[in-house]
Amino acid sequence: MATGFEPRFVIEIIDGARMGKLTVPLAQTADWINFLVTPHYRAEIIAAEQTRQGIEIYFAAGEGLYGYLEGRLGDLAQAA
């Protein structure tokens, strides 16, 4: 799939709160939002911003989801 970039995940501290920031291509936005809000992960989407590259999704979730995304998207970045 030619999306221009692979999804990226980082943890940011915003106003003293720890939250995830997921940057995804526009074409993958719905899939990632559906993933985040599944009953298994129950992420709370705080905000979303469109950028030139795609969408940045800010969300609050448990440490298990943060760790999973760091591992999964970290492996993608290393393979690129």
Side-chain angles (χ1 to χ4, degrees):
M1 176 186 297
T3 58
F5 72 97
E6 294 295 330
R8 293 184 303 270
F9 172 75
V10 296
I11 295 173
E12 294 192 353
I13 306 296
I14 300 174
D15 293 332
R18 196 169 142 90
M19 60 180 62
K21 178 178 132 182
L22 183 63
T23 305
V24 298
L26 287 172
Q28 296 178 18
T29 301
D31 291 337
W32 279 103
I33 289 174
N34 287 334
F35 170 79
L36 291 172
V37 300
T38 61
H40 182 74
Y41 293 116
R42 296 184 202 179
E44 180 180 347
I45 296 176
I46 306 299
E49 296 179 11
Q50 185 172 353
T51 67
R52 281 190 265 157
Q53 293 183 331
I55 297 285
E56 292 178 342
I57 304 167
Y58 294 86
F59 63 95
E63 290 300 317
L65 178 57
Y66 293 157
Y68 173 78
L69 289 172
E70 283 179 325
R72 178 175 176 196
L73 299 180
D75 292 343
L76 287 175
Q78 290 174 7

